[in-house]
Amino acid sequence: MSPKRNGNRAVNKTSKANGSLRKIAKSTKRPAAGKRTVSKTSKTKGLETMIAESTTPSAAADKTKHTRNIAWDQYFMGVALISAKRSKDPNTQVGACIVNSKKRIVGVGYNGMPDKGILHNDVKFPWTKEPGYQKNKHLYVCHAEMNAIINKMDADIQDCTLYTTLYPCHECSKLMIQSGIKKVVYLDIKDRDTDEDAASRFLLQMANIKIKKYQRKGNMESLIEALEKL
């Protein structure tokens, strides 16, 4: 037998061996790829299940969550009442709270004397209601609604809701219209059947501003009552 033929046989044997090895490699890789596919699919399904369960309220969650939380109206009126306690007015303490459409507080205020650049403003202006410019507080006091608008934390309070502990006067109603306030929630009202009260109502009505009397109901209403008595 010639060396050439022996060489050809050796080459053929080597190529056959390589072909067999390739087949074995392919057969072993296919199941591994299949396992990976199943694993990814199961992970995806598991994630979808977790998301579905987290967004669907369960009976167990309903039983364990805190249920004595206060309503939004109670919360914002409570902030207005707390703000009112900062007032130095010996007769009427009023507070206001401005809330945007995302239920975020964007301004608070209470009735008090002008304070920008005036040191000890609370003792330099009168708190009485007697005749004369040196004794009549109404000539100087800034109402809670005015201060809430001035103290706003947002450049735009368009379409916001204003919570106030006392129905707004005609001057504050004009400010609210010019600021874009679209809803007023008030706790109490005084000075009924006066020209000022009628003018305030007429202004808000003409501007299509919704007016809502605060409703005393629901959980923790005693909190509002306690704040009023402070």
Side-chain angles (χ1 to χ4, degrees):
M1 185 178 292
S2 67
K4 189 174 182 180
R5 288 183 179 178
N6 289 335
N8 289 337
R9 288 176 183 171
V11 172
N12 291 335
K13 287 181 180 180
T14 303
S15 62
K16 286 180 180 180
N18 289 338
S20 300
L21 289 172
R22 289 193 195 97
K23 289 180 180 179
I24 293 170
K26 286 180 180 179
S27 64
T28 55
K29 285 181 181 178
R30 282 170 188 160
K35 286 181 181 178
R36 288 195 201 104
T37 304
V38 172
S39 178
K40 287 180 180 179
T41 303
S42 62
K43 286 181 180 179
T44 303
K45 288 182 178 179
L47 182 61
E48 290 175 352
T49 303
M50 289 174 62
I51 294 172
E53 289 177 352
S54 64
T55 55
T56 304
S58 62
D62 288 340
K63 291 180 179 179
T64 57
K65 72 177 183 180
H66 180 64
T67 57
R68 285 181 57 78
N69 57 301
I70 61 177
W72 283 116
D73 275 0
Q74 289 175 319
Y75 175 58
F76 296 130
M77 189 58 74
V79 172
L81 282 166
I82 285 291
S83 299
K85 303 309 172 183
R86 281 287 306 153
S87 175
K88 306 298 191 305
D89 193 311
N91 302 115
T92 308
Q93 297 83 41
V94 184
C97 173
I98 302 174
V99 182
N100 65 16
S101 59
K102 297 180 181 179
K103 298 193 182 301
R104 299 292 185 270
I105 296 174
V106 295
V108 292
Y110 56 89
N111 58 321
M113 296 300 177
D115 61 353
K116 297 298 186 291
I118 304 175
L119 190 63
H120 305 302
N121 63 318
D122 291 327
V123 297
K124 290 183 177 178
F125 293 100
W127 287 108
T128 58
K129 296 185 285 186
E130 299 176 17
Y133 79 95
Q134 291 182 326
K135 297 181 179 181
N136 191 345
K137 68 175 182 178
H138 294 301
L139 300 175
Y140 305 103
V141 71
C142 298
H143 289 184
E145 298 91 336
M146 174 192 291
N147 283 328
I149 291 171
I150 293 173
N151 295 335
K152 63 185 180 182
M153 295 175 282
D154 197 327
D156 185 13
I157 56 174
Q158 185 78 28
D159 299 328
C160 286
T161 298
L162 188 143
Y163 289 78
T164 176
T165 59
L166 194 64
Y167 193 92
C169 71
H170 64 292
E171 292 292 342
C172 290
S173 294
K174 289 187 281 187
L175 279 173
M176 288 189 287
I177 292 171
Q178 296 301 89
S179 301
I181 297 293
K182 284 302 178 185
K183 184 178 180 180
V184 175
V185 181
Y186 69 95
L187 182 64
D188 292 314
I189 187 171
K190 69 174 187 177
D191 299 329
R192 286 179 178 271
D193 302 324
T194 63
D195 287 342
E196 289 79 6
D197 175 63
S200 177
R201 292 177 180 275
F202 182 68
L203 281 164
L204 297 177
Q205 181 181 0
M206 292 298 293
N208 293 319
I209 294 178
K210 295 180 181 179
I211 306 170
K212 176 185 175 182
K213 176 74 169 70
Y214 176 79
Q215 300 298 319
R216 298 174 180 273
K217 62 181 180 179
N219 291 339
M220 302 298 288
E221 191 55 46
S222 57
L223 174 63
I224 298 296
E225 295 172 358
L227 289 172
E228 288 182 282
K229 294 176 182 178
L230 286 179

